[in-house]
Amino acid sequence: MPGQQASSKPRSPGQEPPQPLQQLLTRPDIWQLASGQRHPRSGISTGYRGLDALLAGHGWPHAASTELLVDKAGIGEMSLLLPTLAELTRQGRMVILINPPHIPYAPALVQAGVQLEKLLILHPRGQRDQLWAAEQSLQSGVCGALIQWQNRETPADKDLRRLQVAARDGDCLHFHFRPGSCAQTPSPAALRLQLKSDGEQLALHLFKQLSGRSGQRVHLARNPDLVRRDQPLH
């Protein structure tokens, strides 16, 4: 009959009806590449010219997740983030650390220019609480950067996507420290860097970046005050 839609195939018992496309696109666990491309990817300077030159936005990807793959804590990995954290706190933005493996060394942070009154450390219990705290902080709109460390439980892919979306919605830098073994696991993060100790320097391998080249390596000086131990992180 005119105006009548063609009949579709009968659904099996228990089968959910098909969801309209727009309804699917509103789900927080679905990452839309096109939506990310609508926003200019002007990065936030890392404070290291050599690293900025390798990154597509000439800095940390704006409002997105960055994975830092590290096998050992205390190799100076915080040195990589200090220039950015100092700049954000000077601007009055809040920086949140979730489950750092050690208490941050306050004198070194102050010396690097970090405003401690803008630094908040959270220790939520369990994987579920950690993910909840991270997502709420990222999308709050008052957080300039959130740094979290993965515990022994590996977050599900859908959880990583939720964090990526929360960082975008909250206009927040999201840094996620994960074991180096996660390098072979797909991730929705906009940028993935592998960090290793190399003498007095920090060796970085640009593992993945959206809208940019990957595979490059760069060595950076590290803050000796933040090199404290050589023990497994996980």
Side-chain angles (χ1 to χ4, degrees):
M1 295 178 62
Q4 183 175 5
Q5 295 181 347
S7 60
S8 58
K9 296 174 64 176
R11 293 191 299 271
S12 303
Q15 182 180 4
E16 295 183 358
Q19 299 184 49
L21 176 61
Q22 291 303 319
Q23 184 176 349
L24 282 173
L25 295 180
T26 60
R27 287 174 43 174
D29 59 336
I30 292 182
W31 171 248
Q32 302 177 51
L33 177 61
S35 65
Q37 292 176 337
R38 285 199 295 268
H39 301 286
R41 282 203 168 276
S42 54
I44 307 297
S45 175
T46 66
Y48 298 94
R49 289 185 180 180
L51 180 57
D52 285 350
L54 298 179
L55 300 178
H58 301 289
W60 300 119
H62 185 72
S65 293
T66 292
E67 280 189 6
L68 303 172
L69 305 168
V70 186
D71 283 327
K72 295 179 180 179
I75 62 172
E77 64 273 21
M78 286 300 293
S79 299
L80 178 64
L81 304 180
L82 283 182
T84 303
L85 303 188
E87 178 60 28
L88 289 173
T89 57
R90 277 197 293 267
Q91 295 174 4
R93 306 290 302 276
M94 183 67 71
V95 170
I96 298 178
L97 312 183
I98 295 184
N99 284 339
H102 312 290
I103 297 176
Y105 188 50
L109 297 179
V110 172
Q111 186 177 15
V114 177
Q115 309 293 313
L116 295 185
E117 63 272 18
K118 292 296 181 182
L119 191 68
L120 179 65
I121 302 175
L122 302 178
H123 289 284
R125 295 180 179 177
Q127 176 82 339
R128 185 174 180 179
D129 287 352
Q130 177 175 343
L131 291 172
W132 182 87
E135 184 176 24
Q136 295 299 311
S137 300
L138 286 169
Q139 64 186 13
S140 67
V142 299
C143 182
L146 181 138
I147 307 170
Q148 71 176 112
W149 284 258
Q150 179 175 308
N151 55 24
R152 295 184 182 278
E153 297 181 59
T154 301
D157 185 69
K158 65 181 180 62
D159 294 326
L160 296 176
R161 293 182 185 278
R162 288 176 65 94
L163 296 177
Q164 171 84 316
V165 172
R168 182 196 65 191
D169 293 345
D171 192 22
C172 184
L173 293 175
H174 175 218
F175 299 102
H176 190 181
F177 281 105
R178 305 188 68 192
S181 57
C182 295
Q184 304 306 320
T185 305
S187 168
L191 175 66
R192 306 183 84 189
L193 291 173
Q194 192 167 46
L195 283 60
K196 291 185 178 181
S197 173
D198 188 4
E200 299 300 322
Q201 296 183 316
L202 192 63
L204 273 64
H205 176 197
L206 207 165
F207 209 77
K208 165 197 170 184
Q209 68 169 329
L210 295 179
S211 306
R213 294 178 54 200
S214 58
Q216 306 96 318
R217 300 176 187 271
V218 64
H219 285 68
L220 305 176
R222 53 181 180 174
N223 187 333
D225 288 338
L226 295 173
V227 181
R228 286 298 175 190
R229 48 180 266 162
D230 191 24
Q231 297 181 15
L233 177 57
H234 303 279

